[in-house]
Amino acid sequence: MPTGHIMMAMSLDGFVARKDHTLDWLNKQPTDNDDHGFSEFMESVDALVMGSGSLRTVLGFGEWPYVKPVIVLSRSMTKQDLPEHLQDKVEFSTASPEALWGLFDQRGYKRIYVDGGAIIRSFLKADLVQDMKITMVPILLGDGIRIFGETDDDVDLELVSAAPFPSGMVDLVYKVKST
């Protein structure tokens, strides 16, 4: 079966984006061109699954950043909502996380990048996330979109590593303890 993996940047007060899904606050950070392992992470995954909010954010980047298959879970967006040159790069689905996992297994996908707050929460709830790398960014946004929200049950984590950077960012890697 496939395994789910998260890699996200988060403000110190727990937000992954502003309410309008913008990420301008990330560009304020002096990273010295360190991508915190994102390129290596992207090479390690077979596909990405995200929600429509994350897709809208990515569409705002201008250039399409992914070479791997992208599946967007959405009940409101379809291929017709995309620019024509991207319609063959994105697949839309309304499947449950469990059903999507079965599809990924059929396609031979082993490692899946799970992206976006609501999508992450639904995959955590379904016990389909194996690990997560969260880069804590030294900024307080005060409001926005949370990576984690309310949960029905505790999600137990085991710290694998913590790595500080001169920028003040800290990479935290956690293994999700299976329920």
Side-chain angles (χ1 to χ4, degrees):
M1 284 298 278
T3 55
H5 307 273
I6 297 168
M7 184 173 192
M8 297 285 289
M10 179 172 74
S11 68
L12 192 58
D13 52 351
F15 300 105
V16 294
R18 295 192 190 278
K19 279 190 173 185
D20 64 359
H21 294 271
T22 57
L23 303 174
D24 61 308
W25 55 278
L26 280 175
N27 296 328
K28 293 168 60 175
Q29 306 306 315
T31 61
D32 295 329
N33 295 321
D34 185 352
D35 74 353
H36 290 258
F38 187 72
S39 299
E40 182 180 341
F41 176 77
M42 286 304 298
E43 288 178 25
S44 78
V45 299
D46 298 308
L48 295 81
V49 61
M50 65 176 65
S52 57
S54 294
L55 175 61
R56 285 184 184 97
T57 299
V58 171
L59 291 174
F61 294 166
E63 201 172 308
W64 186 249
Y66 304 119
V67 294
K68 305 289 175 99
V70 174
I71 297 85
V72 176
L73 292 178
S74 178
R75 288 180 173 74
S76 61
M77 289 184 78
T78 65
K79 282 190 183 285
Q80 288 69 37
D81 295 314
L82 295 173
E84 191 172 323
H85 71 282
L86 293 178
Q87 290 183 3
D88 64 336
K89 297 184 184 302
V90 177
E91 177 181 345
F92 287 88
S93 177
T94 59
S96 69
E98 296 87 352
L100 200 55
W101 234 236
L103 177 67
F104 291 160
D105 191 38
Q106 288 174 357
R107 292 180 180 177
Y109 298 165
K110 301 295 182 208
R111 290 178 50 88
I112 309 300
Y113 176 10
V114 181
D115 188 26
I119 300 304
I120 288 171
R121 287 189 296 275
S122 66
F123 279 76
L124 280 168
K125 184 177 181 175
D127 200 25
L128 296 173
V129 175
Q130 182 177 10
D131 54 44
M132 59 179 82
K133 180 177 184 178
I134 309 296
T135 299
M136 296 298 300
V137 180
I139 190 169
L140 300 173
L141 298 179
D143 199 7
I145 300 169
R146 292 198 177 278
I147 186 174
F148 307 113
E150 294 181 20
T151 59
D152 296 335
D153 297 305
D154 293 347
V155 177
D156 294 319
L157 306 171
E158 177 184 327
L159 180 65
V160 175
S161 66
F165 290 82
S167 64
M169 294 185 195
V170 178
D171 284 351
L172 302 168
V173 178
Y174 290 97
K175 178 179 185 275
V176 178
K177 294 182 179 181
S178 197
T179 55

